[in-house]
């Protein structure tokens, strides 16, 4: 950045100082604070019915363990909030460091961050898929990523952005769109997908996610829900027919970028009447969908529209999402507003680095490696079988020698002129030297 740093407005700094002076209110969401107040009111009402002084018994009768747990939770939230603010400060780096990190993304080859890459089935293109509710900013994020990597501020936008969200189902992405990042590369591709619905049943979203994650994604493929009305279905099929080309190559998804609207999250925080709960419920149910995770690796989360929020509100949203979804807010949640500044570019590069590293880490093993493991197990079974057969043969031979010696001894006793020599018996049935034939078994 050549010494440049992001400049915050005075009101953001004043709000930040106010948050630091009142950490519990800033780290704790307004919704939870209001719930706590209502709980205290309920306690006071019960005390009054029992003839106790309001406010006095609540402190005396409150369980010590509950009070201690509450204080621990508040301290943890304060610590997380301060870490998020510190993370914003760390993003003010020099342009030289930004160029170095950007070069790692531009020179990326699938498998570069994989240990023992020869043992894994590495694709020629790493596929990152964008998922999220309607109006979360997925298409805008595609354009923002492209602009950050290509250093061309005047390049035309690639993804069609929805302008009027009031149109509802008439607006949005209905065909899977593939975007190579950057344009002339074949190492990374982003997939813009149809939005998740928070008006339909949960199974409808999970069915769509399962199809993408198990069967793969194709450029130009039409995505239709069972809950779509007849008029919308007819319109979409007409658009698909007019496209005039067949869907492209099927790509296996290697990692997931989950995108949410930070402004909608803030509204859900500040509304306790349940009017905005559908949005957060959809995020929680779909983010925890097992098909989006790769073993223990959950999707990376990006929240947009931070340019419409103050710095303190952005930190609150980030902390709340981490607590809501169970992921570290400073490592796995990225605040990417619709801004042309160096901090936003740095955040985009860090998000891509995180996604690509985790994609490389979860490539499937090659079939050759699996065949070697299978052959090794077969060889071990054969060795064990030979050992068992060798022991069985040895035991059977020992049992057959004893009766033979008894018969020879009885025959020798019947003869008067001589006894049967032991040497003759041993010559007829020589003793086996197991040390000399141990290589057989």
């Amino acid at each position: 950045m050549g010494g440049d740093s992001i400049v915050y407005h005075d009101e953001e700094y004043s709000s930040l100082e106010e948050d630091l002076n009142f950490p519990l209110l800033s780290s704790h969401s307004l919704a939870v604070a209001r719930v706590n107040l209502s709980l205290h009111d309920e306690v006071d009402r019960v005390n009054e019915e029992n003839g106790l002084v309001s406010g006095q018994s609540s402190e005396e009768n409150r369980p010590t363990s509950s009070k201690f747990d509450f204080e621990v939770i508040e301290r943890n939230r304060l610590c997380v909030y301060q870490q998020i603010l510190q993370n914003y400060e760390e993003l003010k780096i020099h342009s030289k460091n930004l160029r170095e990190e950007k070069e790692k993304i531009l020179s990326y080859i699938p498998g570069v961050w994989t240990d023992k890459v020869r043992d894994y089935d590495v694709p020629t293109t790493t596929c990152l898929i964008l998922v999220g509710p309607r109006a979360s900013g997925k298409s805008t994020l595609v354009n923002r990523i492209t602009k950050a990597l290509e250093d061309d501020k005047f390049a035309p936008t690639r993804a069609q952005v929805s302008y009027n969200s009031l149109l509802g189902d008439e607006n949005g992405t209905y065909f899977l769109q593939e975007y190579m990042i950057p344009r002339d590369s074949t190492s990374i591709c982003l997939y813009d997908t149809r939005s998740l619905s928070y008006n339909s049943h949960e199974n409808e979203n999970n069915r769509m996610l399962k199809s993408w994650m198990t069967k793969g994604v194709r450029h130009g493929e039409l995505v239709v829900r069972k809950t779509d009305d007849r008029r919308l279905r007819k319109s979409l099929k007409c658009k698909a027919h007019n496209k005039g080309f067949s869907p492209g190559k099927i790509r296996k998804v290697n990692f997931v970028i989950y995108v949410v609207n930070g402004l909608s999250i803030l509204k859900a925080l500040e509304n306790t009447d349940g009017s905005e709960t559908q949005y957060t419920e959809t995020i929680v149910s779909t983010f925890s969908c097992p098909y989006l995770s790769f073993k223990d690796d959950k999707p990376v989360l990006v929240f947009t529209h931070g340019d419409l929020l103050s710095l303190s509100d952005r930190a609150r949203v980030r902390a709340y999402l981490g607590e809501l979804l169970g992921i570290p807010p400073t490592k796995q949640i990225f605040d990417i507003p619709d801004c042309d500044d160096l901090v936003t570019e740095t955040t985009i590069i860090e998000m891509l680095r995180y996604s690509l590293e985790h994609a490389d880490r979860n490539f499937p093993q090659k079939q050759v490696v699996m065949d070697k493991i299978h052959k090794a197990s077969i060889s071990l079974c054969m060795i064990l079988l030979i050992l068992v057969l060798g022991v069985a043969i040895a035991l059977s031979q020992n049992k057959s020698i004893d009766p033979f010696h008894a018969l020879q001894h009885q025959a020798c006793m019947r003869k008067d002129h001589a006894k049967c020599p032991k040497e003759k018996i041993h010559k007829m049935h020589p003793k086996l030297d197991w040390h000399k034939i141990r290589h057989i078994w």
Side-chain angles (χ1 to χ4, degrees):
M1 293 183 186
D4 295 338
S5 61
I6 185 171
V7 178
Y8 299 113
H9 298 292
D10 293 338
E11 57 269 18
E12 289 184 331
Y13 272 122
S14 62
S15 176
L16 178 58
E17 292 175 358
E18 181 181 351
D19 290 333
L20 293 178
N21 292 331
F22 302 94
L24 295 183
L25 291 179
S26 62
S27 62
H28 201 18
S29 67
L30 292 179
V32 178
R34 290 168 182 167
V35 171
N36 289 337
L37 290 176
S38 63
L39 289 175
H40 287 302
D41 293 339
E42 182 66 19
V43 171
D44 291 340
R45 185 186 63 80
V46 174
N47 290 337
E48 290 177 359
E49 291 178 355
N50 294 330
L52 300 175
V53 179
S54 176
Q56 184 177 4
S57 68
S58 63
E59 291 294 332
E60 294 177 355
N61 299 329
R62 179 183 294 176
T64 305
S65 59
S66 300
K67 182 178 180 181
F68 177 76
D69 293 340
F70 178 79
E71 291 177 352
V72 170
I73 292 173
E74 291 301 315
R75 289 195 187 102
N76 289 336
R77 285 171 175 161
L78 172 61
C79 181
V80 171
Y81 186 78
Q82 291 176 338
Q83 289 176 358
I84 293 172
L85 294 177
Q86 181 64 28
N87 181 256
Y88 282 114
E89 292 294 325
E90 292 174 354
L91 289 175
K92 303 174 184 179
I93 63 175
H94 297 289
S95 59
K96 179 181 178 181
N97 296 333
L98 177 59
R99 284 195 294 268
E100 290 176 356
E101 292 299 320
K102 188 183 297 186
E103 186 59 32
K104 293 179 181 179
I105 303 299
L106 294 174
S107 60
Y108 167 81
I109 298 175
V112 69
W113 286 308
T114 303
D115 296 332
K116 298 181 180 179
V117 65
R118 294 182 179 179
D119 295 340
Y120 293 90
D121 188 9
V122 180
T124 56
T125 303
T126 299
C127 180
L128 308 177
I129 186 174
L130 304 176
V131 300
R134 189 181 58 187
S136 58
K138 298 185 296 296
S139 301
T140 303
L141 182 60
V142 171
N143 296 329
R144 181 61 53 194
I145 292 173
T146 301
K147 188 176 291 187
L149 290 177
E150 294 184 351
D151 289 327
D152 188 356
K153 307 299 181 183
F154 302 99
T157 57
R158 304 179 67 184
Q160 173 65 53
V161 178
S162 301
Y163 178 70
N164 187 3
S165 59
L166 298 177
L167 294 176
D169 289 338
E170 297 295 332
N171 214 357
T173 302
Y174 293 97
F175 297 86
L176 298 180
Q177 300 293 328
E178 179 183 277
Y179 301 97
M180 290 295 176
I181 304 295
R183 300 172 195 256
D184 57 349
S185 174
T186 59
S187 297
I188 308 171
C189 74
L190 286 177
Y191 260 85
D192 193 6
T193 63
R194 183 174 181 180
S195 299
L196 304 174
S197 174
Y198 45 88
N199 294 324
S200 61
H201 198 268
E202 178 183 345
N203 291 336
E204 187 69 17
N205 287 328
N206 290 338
R207 182 190 64 82
M208 188 168 59
L209 295 174
K210 178 182 178 181
S211 176
W212 295 337
M213 301 303 296
T214 58
K215 298 179 181 179
V217 290
R218 290 192 300 178
H219 176 63
E221 182 178 359
L222 174 62
V223 180
V224 180
R225 298 193 187 102
K226 293 182 179 179
T227 55
D228 292 335
D229 56 53
R230 183 179 301 178
R231 185 175 59 85
L232 178 60
R233 285 172 174 265
K234 184 177 180 180
S235 175
L236 293 177
K237 291 180 180 180
C238 181
K239 290 180 180 179
H241 178 72
N242 293 335
K243 274 182 166 297
F245 65 90
S246 59
K249 176 182 178 182
I250 298 178
R251 296 192 186 276
K252 181 178 178 59
V253 178
N254 301 118
F255 201 66
V256 179
I257 302 174
Y258 200 105
V259 188
V260 300
N261 188 329
L263 185 60
S264 298
I265 297 295
L266 184 63
K267 290 179 180 178
L269 277 171
E270 297 183 345
N271 288 274
T272 57
D273 56 359
S275 59
E276 300 290 339
T277 56
Q278 270 191 331
Y279 191 81
T280 54
E281 288 174 357
T282 300
I283 292 173
V284 172
S285 63
T286 53
F287 187 87
S288 59
C289 177
Y291 295 104
L292 295 186
S293 299
F294 292 83
K295 298 179 181 178
D296 293 331
D297 286 342
K298 296 181 179 179
V300 66
L301 190 133
V302 173
F303 78 87
T304 60
H305 297 80
D307 48 300
L308 304 178
L309 308 176
S310 65
L311 180 62
S312 59
D313 285 337
R314 290 161 69 177
R316 287 177 56 208
V317 168
R318 198 168 171 183
Y320 174 72
L321 287 171
E323 187 174 346
L324 184 69
L325 302 175
I327 56 177
T330 58
K331 302 294 184 182
Q332 203 168 342
I333 299 178
F334 295 88
D335 176 7
I336 303 180
D338 192 13
C339 298
D340 289 323
D341 56 59
L342 298 178
V343 172
T344 301
E345 290 187 19
T346 303
T347 307
I348 291 173
I349 298 303
E350 288 185 355
M351 184 272 295
L352 289 176
R353 172 72 180 265
Y354 182 96
S355 302
L356 294 173
E357 282 189 354
H358 283 74
D360 282 8
R361 220 165 59 181
N362 291 288
F363 287 145
Q365 285 188 325
K366 285 183 178 179
Q367 189 62 35
V368 176
V369 177
M370 301 304 295
D371 291 342
K372 289 181 179 179
I373 297 175
H374 183 64
K375 290 178 180 179
S377 61
I378 293 178
S379 300
L380 182 61
C381 292
M382 292 296 295
I383 292 173
L384 293 175
L385 181 61
I386 292 174
L387 288 174
V388 172
L389 290 175
V391 172
I393 293 172
L395 292 175
S396 64
Q397 287 184 351
N398 287 334
K399 291 180 180 179
S400 63
I401 290 175
D402 292 338
F404 180 78
H405 278 267
L407 293 175
Q408 290 292 332
H409 180 70
Q410 292 176 3
C412 291
M413 292 296 294
R414 293 190 187 99
K415 297 180 180 180
D416 297 330
H417 60 278
K419 293 183 178 180
C420 185
K422 294 182 179 180
E423 292 79 8
K424 187 175 181 181
I425 298 175
H426 288 299
K427 287 181 181 180
M428 295 177 64
H429 294 278
K431 185 177 181 180
L432 296 176
D433 190 350
W434 296 103
H435 292 286
K436 293 182 179 181
I437 63 172
R438 64 179 183 273
H439 65 278
I440 298 177
W441 55 278

